[in-house]
Amino acid sequence: MKTLLVDDESKSISTLKTLLGRYCPEVEIIGEAGSAAEAVEKIKSLKPALVFMDVLMPDGSGFDVLEQCKSNRFDVIFVSAFEEHSLRAFRFSALDYLLKPVNFNDLKNAVARFSDKNKPGPARDPRIAVAQSAYDQPVPENIVLPSLDGFSVVRIADIVRCEADSNYTTVYFTKDKPFLASRSLSHFEELLTGMPFVRIHHKHLINLAYIKKYHKGRGGYVEMADGQQVEVSVRKKEEFLERMAGFARGVQ
């Protein structure tokens, strides 16, 4: 697995080299780059199969590098020093990332996932555009829904509700047929933070924009735009009513 390491901090590259050598012997490091410009040059000349890419560098971002390497096919694993909330951008894209300081188990898992050479290169992959959108905009328009056999890019505004199905989630839309995503409901709850989505039950995450009516009760239930009645748990009732009141006032 011919691999290029891209980071403007030499210490980060040194640490990553040590971890890869110890835990990922299948990785062959063929070069290093300390800037976005150097990364573009080495990707084009060395043609790596895998690139570990820092997100922000003095002369540009990892996305800038990908944009300039559209003709090259390679997989990318982002390496970031961002805090958890900033990494939401990459979760939208279904791309792998590692948070500094890099955990060796996370590294091993990421390399294992990227060992399949038959996947489309990231520069031709619509997930890159979704990641860039999520990174640039406070409220991204699209989201990637991963499945066992691929992924789908959908508009967030078209999602009516999400329902837990063990470790998977069924996503329901205004028009399209339901989609079984290979992520937990908690994943989507975190991903959609700051948007008009609220967890009203351990099995249900709903879009406040598609509530038709709320029926009172111990917890009560809501009627959704897709015709479904969804239970509100007693534990979630207060939070739901507060969020609903805020949504009505234009506050998400």
Side-chain angles (χ1 to χ4, degrees), residues 81-136:
F82 290 149
E83 295 297 332
E84 189 69 14
H85 68 277
S86 298
L87 285 167
R88 289 181 60 232
F90 306 108
R91 292 204 175 111
F92 273 94
S93 70
L95 296 171
D96 278 294
Y97 65 85
L98 299 173
L99 183 63
K100 298 177 182 179
V102 175
N103 176 278
F104 74 91
N105 279 322
D106 292 339
L107 178 64
K108 288 168 62 178
N109 291 335
V111 170
R113 283 193 293 269
F114 277 78
S115 63
D116 181 4
K117 301 297 195 303
N118 295 319
K119 292 190 304 180
R124 300 180 182 180
D125 195 324
R127 292 175 293 180
I128 289 294
V130 176
Q132 179 71 75
S133 171
Y135 180 72
D136 289 341

Side-chain angles (χ1 to χ4, degrees), residues 88-89 92 130 133-143 156-157 195:
R88 289 181 60 232
F92 273 94
V130 176
S133 171
Y135 180 72
D136 289 341
Q137 303 173 28
V139 183
E141 295 182 357
N142 299 321
I143 187 175
I156 296 171
M195 301 181 200

Side-chain angles (χ1 to χ4, degrees), residues 4-149:
L4 176 70
L5 309 183
V6 180
D7 200 307
D8 63 308
E9 298 180 357
S10 58
K11 183 177 179 181
S12 294
I13 286 185
S14 177
T15 299
L16 193 54
K17 285 175 65 176
T18 299
L19 291 173
L20 288 170
R22 183 175 301 171
Y23 299 107
C24 305
E26 68 272 34
V27 171
E28 177 190 355
I29 300 172
I30 59 172
E32 304 171 11
S35 67
E38 187 180 6
V40 171
E41 177 186 340
K42 291 199 173 181
I43 287 172
K44 292 182 176 180
S45 63
L46 299 177
K47 295 179 173 52
L50 176 63
V51 177
F52 283 88
M53 184 94 69
D54 191 10
V55 177
L56 291 179
M57 292 167 278
D59 62 335
S61 71
F63 294 115
D64 296 328
V65 174
L66 295 176
E67 183 65 27
Q68 295 179 60
C69 296
K70 288 182 177 180
S71 61
N72 295 80
R73 294 176 66 86
F74 59 92
D75 286 322
V76 61
I77 297 175
F78 283 112
V79 182
S80 173
F82 290 149
E83 295 297 332
E84 189 69 14
H85 68 277
S86 298
L87 285 167
R88 289 181 60 232
F90 306 108
R91 292 204 175 111
F92 273 94
S93 70
L95 296 171
D96 278 294
Y97 65 85
L98 299 173
L99 183 63
K100 298 177 182 179
V102 175
N103 176 278
F104 74 91
N105 279 322
D106 292 339
L107 178 64
K108 288 168 62 178
N109 291 335
V111 170
R113 283 193 293 269
F114 277 78
S115 63
D116 181 4
K117 301 297 195 303
N118 295 319
K119 292 190 304 180
R124 300 180 182 180
D125 195 324
R127 292 175 293 180
I128 289 294
V130 176
Q132 179 71 75
S133 171
Y135 180 72
D136 289 341
Q137 303 173 28
V139 183
E141 295 182 357
N142 299 321
I143 187 175
V144 169
L145 302 180
S147 64
L148 294 177
D149 59 354

Side-chain angles (χ1 to χ4, degrees), residues 122-206:
R124 300 180 182 180
D125 195 324
R127 292 175 293 180
I128 289 294
V130 176
Q132 179 71 75
S133 171
Y135 180 72
D136 289 341
Q137 303 173 28
V139 183
E141 295 182 357
N142 299 321
I143 187 175
V144 169
L145 302 180
S147 64
L148 294 177
D149 59 354
F151 63 89
S152 290
V153 178
V154 302
R155 292 181 68 246
I156 296 171
D158 291 338
I159 298 175
V160 174
R161 60 191 180 91
C162 304
E163 183 175 350
D165 183 358
S166 186
N167 291 326
Y168 296 83
T169 299
T170 302
V171 183
Y172 295 87
F173 305 94
T174 53
K175 296 179 181 178
D176 296 331
K177 64 180 182 180
F179 184 96
L180 183 63
S182 56
R183 294 288 187 277
S184 68
L185 187 61
S186 295
H187 168 87
F188 289 104
E189 180 183 20
E190 181 179 359
L191 191 63
L192 296 168
T193 298
M195 301 181 200
F197 288 82
V198 61
R199 186 87 171 256
I200 63 171
H201 188 276
H202 75 277
K203 289 191 65 175
H204 300 290
L205 177 71
I206 65 170

Side-chain angles (χ1 to χ4, degrees), residues 226-241:
D226 63 352
Q228 293 298 308
Q229 297 180 349
V230 183
E231 179 185 357
V232 180
S233 71
V234 175
R235 188 169 62 89
K236 295 288 188 179
K237 180 178 179 179
E238 183 177 353
E239 178 188 358
F240 161 65
L241 293 176

